């Protein structure tokens, strides 16, 4: 083979690899994987047996198809009884809530599922007026915004508890804490939140929604059974042997980033989320919805 031919062959190989990887990245970042789990607990009452909970997290104002039609289709296909949204519907610098509210509108008009919601750190970047307007719009679509109080979900004569923490940074905003990183994993944060929460009574099955998965050590100390969380974006780049490259607040090689975690009789499901802010690309880490089926 002549020298020029060799060079052309090498260039063609490199271009093929680049094109293939580019196409793969597009697929990785624009298709949604529904991860289905079965969660069993003897405390789950009869009427909640086989209940389907769809977890949506970290949309960050991303659109999958026009008007988020592809995302809506995936949500409808999952046939959820309840939808839990674990924060960051908005991107980190969003003041425009259109994409987020269009999704909620689509969910509430196409599904009869009750929707429970907690803020993430991105919603905390809205000013007070914008946050109040956003909350009012969510409420108008029937979304239950959880704000640190235990609530009851009733079904067929049975009930379970649901609790949602505001984003850790909300407590800092309301009560003059320093930035939440100082508090996320400390006794002081636990005691601060605990002092302000309605105390649970009885031993009903209890679920917790909270945006920051890195606070699992704190959540475990509350009287909750099943925790739903996000914020880690699946570790952004997935590595071999079930590792991940990076998650906010946890840094490189995070402990919590996706899937199911068990400790101390508590189970936490972490969503890999749907969107990414600032043009960061996910690698080997598809956008994700978690679907958890409860079993008694
Ligand atoms: Fe977040």
């Amino acid at each position: 083979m002549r020298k020029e031919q060799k060079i052309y062959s090498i260039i063609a190989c490199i271009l093929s690899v680049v094109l293939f990887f580019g196409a793969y990245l597009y697929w990785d970042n624009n298709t949604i994987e529904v991860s289905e789990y079965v969660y069993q607990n003897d405390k789950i009452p009869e009427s909640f047996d086989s209940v389907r909970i769809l977890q949506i997290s970290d949309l960050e104002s991303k659109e999958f198809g026009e008007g988020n039609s592809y995302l809506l289709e995936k949500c409808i296909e999952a046939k959820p009884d309840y939808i839990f949204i674990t924060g960051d519907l908005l991107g980190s610098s969003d003041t425009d809530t259109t994409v987020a509210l269009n999704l909620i509108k689509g969910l509430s008009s196409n599904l009869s599922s009750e929707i429970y919601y907690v803020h993430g750190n991105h919603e905390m970047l809205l000013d007070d007026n914008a946050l109040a307007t956003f909350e009012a719009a969510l409420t108008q679509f029937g979304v239950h915004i959880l704000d640190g109080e235990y609530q009851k979900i009733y079904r067929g004569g049975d009930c379970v508890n649901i609790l949602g923490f505001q984003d850790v940074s909300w407590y800092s905003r309301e009560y003059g804490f320093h930035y939440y990183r100082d508090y996320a994993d400390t006794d002081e944060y636990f005691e601060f939140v605990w002092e302000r929460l309605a105390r649970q009574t009885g031993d009903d099955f209890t679920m917790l929604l909270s945006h920051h998965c890195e606070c699992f050590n704190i959540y475990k100390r509350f009287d909750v059974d099943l925790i739903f969380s996000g914020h880690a974006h699946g570790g952004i780049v997935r590595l071999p042997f079930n590792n991940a490259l990076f998650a906010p607040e946890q840094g490189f090689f995070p402990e919590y980033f996706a899937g199911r975690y068990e400790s101390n009789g508590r189970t936490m499901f972490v969503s890999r989320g749907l969107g990414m802010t600032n043009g960061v690309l996910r690698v080997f880490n598809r956008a994700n919805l978690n679907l958890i089926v409860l079993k008694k």
Side-chain angles (χ1 to χ4, degrees):
M1 190 183 283
R2 283 172 30 210
K3 193 178 171 187
E4 291 82 10
Q5 280 179 311
K6 269 189 187 172
I7 291 169
Y8 289 143
S9 298
I10 290 167
I11 290 171
C13 277
I14 292 169
L15 278 177
S16 302
V17 169
V18 169
L19 281 174
F20 178 80
F21 193 60
Y24 174 79
L25 280 182
Y26 182 83
W27 179 82
D28 220 17
N29 284 269
N30 291 284
T31 61
I32 298 168
E33 181 183 36
V34 179
S35 306
E36 189 167 337
Y37 302 88
V38 173
Y39 170 82
Q40 193 278 328
N41 190 319
D42 295 341
K43 290 166 71 179
I44 293 171
E46 190 74 43
S47 308
F48 284 81
D49 188 39
S50 300
V51 150
R52 297 162 71 82
I53 298 170
L54 183 71
Q55 183 191 7
I56 298 174
S57 200
D58 301 271
L59 176 69
E60 310 210 351
S61 292
K62 184 173 171 68
E63 285 191 283
F64 294 84
E66 201 180 332
N68 252 326
S69 54
Y70 171 60
L71 172 56
L72 272 171
E73 190 185 306
K74 285 285 181 186
C75 293
I76 293 165
E77 275 173 14
K79 298 185 177 65
D81 297 294
Y82 299 94
I83 295 172
F84 292 174
I85 300 176
T86 46
D88 281 2
L89 275 177
L90 307 179
S92 62
S93 55
D94 282 351
T95 49
D96 184 350
T97 58
T98 309
V99 171
L101 291 175
N102 276 346
L103 175 66
I104 300 300
K105 185 181 176 186
L107 292 171
S108 67
S109 54
N110 285 285
L111 289 163
S112 55
S113 332
E114 279 186 53
I115 304 173
Y116 290 86
Y117 166 92
V118 288
H119 288 308
N121 50 306
H122 291 173
E123 286 75 46
M124 290 299 100
L125 298 171
L126 295 173
D127 65 36
D128 288 347
N129 283 339
L131 186 63
T133 304
F134 184 55
E135 288 184 342
L138 291 173
T139 307
Q140 223 172 23
F141 289 123
V143 174
H144 303 268
I145 301 172
L146 299 168
D147 60 358
E149 302 276 329
Y150 284 97
Q151 294 187 13
K152 299 267 182 206
I153 303 179
Y154 293 94
R155 187 180 182 87
D158 291 319
C159 74
V160 297
N161 291 321
I162 187 161
L163 168 66
F165 290 157
Q166 295 278 21
D167 186 83
V168 187
S169 52
W170 181 84
Y171 298 107
S172 84
R173 173 165 159 165
E174 282 293 298
Y175 298 100
F177 270 6
H178 299 300
Y179 188 54
Y180 64 85
R181 278 179 202 178
D182 298 340
Y183 288 91
D185 201 17
T186 63
D187 285 348
E188 191 177 352
Y189 170 58
F190 171 78
E191 283 152 18
F192 182 84
V193 175
W194 181 238
E195 285 306 312
R196 280 155 184 80
L197 285 171
R199 305 299 173 94
Q200 184 191 359
T201 53
D203 59 354
D204 289 336
F205 179 69
T206 298
M207 295 180 283
L208 167 68
L209 274 57
S210 191
H211 180 62
H212 287 263
C213 65
E214 73 275 11
C215 299
F216 189 35
N217 286 332
I218 293 286
Y219 306 150
K220 286 188 308 200
R221 296 167 65 176
F222 288 89
D223 197 4
V224 297
D225 300 291
L226 179 57
I227 300 151
F228 295 83
S229 199
H231 185 62
H233 302 116
I236 304 176
V237 178
R238 290 301 295 272
L239 303 171
F241 308 110
N242 198 29
N243 286 312
L245 184 65
F246 184 85
E249 274 58 72
Q250 297 182 81
F252 287 99
F253 312 113
E255 184 172 2
Y256 307 110
F257 52 90
R260 180 180 192 142
Y261 298 87
E262 310 267 357
S263 180
N264 225 19
R266 314 290 193 244
T267 298
M268 176 171 74
F269 287 105
V270 177
S271 170
R272 301 198 303 270
L274 293 159
M276 291 291 299
T277 298
N278 301 328
V280 176
L281 288 174
R282 313 162 74 99
V283 182
F284 308 123
N285 175 29
R286 286 173 75 194
N288 157 253
L289 296 166
N290 278 343
L291 178 64
I292 287 86
V293 181
L294 302 184
K295 288 285 175 190
K296 80 171 264 85

